[in-house]
Amino acid sequence: MSSRSLRPVREKAVIFAALGDETRLLLLAKLSSGTRYSIGELTEGTKLTRQAVTKHLRVLEKARIVHGRHVGRQSLFEFDPKPVNEMREYLESVSKAWDSALGRLKSFVEGDPAQ
């Protein structure tokens, strides 16, 4: 398999890894409101340090789920739903493929000659 054909797989893996952390999911829940937040605002009301929030935001940025923009002296972060929507579509296609495979298996096991 070429490195070019592995690229989409790697991109999906990065997104899944980014979404596989409770802290990052909590940050995304807050960011999904559509409001831009500073690191300080994302840290408020949590036991997390600014450094920890920054680390998690960098992982989300690498996965293209969050974008940071410098405004004055602070960075504001916002949610980008496109990668999450792409993953939802991917999971739906995998689900359909499994449904089809299970349907064929059921027909085979039950001896349905139409299949």
Side-chain angles (χ1 to χ4, degrees):
M1 204 177 248
S2 72
S3 62
R4 185 176 181 169
S5 64
L6 287 175
R7 186 173 180 208
V9 173
R10 286 188 187 126
E11 289 173 359
K12 286 177 181 68
V14 168
I15 295 169
F16 277 125
L19 295 174
D21 181 88
E22 181 180 346
T23 301
R24 289 192 284 273
L25 288 176
L26 291 170
L27 289 171
L28 282 178
K30 191 166 189 176
L31 289 167
S32 68
S33 69
T35 303
R36 293 182 189 168
Y37 288 96
S38 68
I39 293 170
E41 291 169 327
L42 291 168
T43 304
E44 285 177 15
T46 71
K47 295 180 181 181
L48 297 171
T49 64
R50 292 173 62 89
Q51 184 178 17
V53 169
T54 301
K55 177 184 167 188
H56 286 292
L57 288 170
R58 297 297 174 231
V59 172
L60 293 168
E61 276 187 313
K62 184 178 179 183
R64 304 177 350 254
I65 300 169
V66 167
H67 300 288
R69 298 172 195 231
H70 292 288
V71 179
R73 294 178 57 195
Q74 63 182 349
S75 292
L76 297 178
F77 292 85
E78 63 185 332
F79 172 64
D80 182 353
K82 185 178 176 189
V84 175
N85 288 333
E86 290 171 358
M87 295 311 296
R88 181 185 48 77
E89 292 170 5
Y90 168 72
L91 290 172
E92 285 175 358
S93 70
V94 170
S95 177
K96 286 178 185 174
W98 273 102
D99 288 345
S100 176
L102 289 172
R104 289 190 307 273
L105 177 62
K106 179 181 178 194
S107 294
F108 175 76
V109 168
E110 292 175 354
D112 184 357
Q115 296 287 329

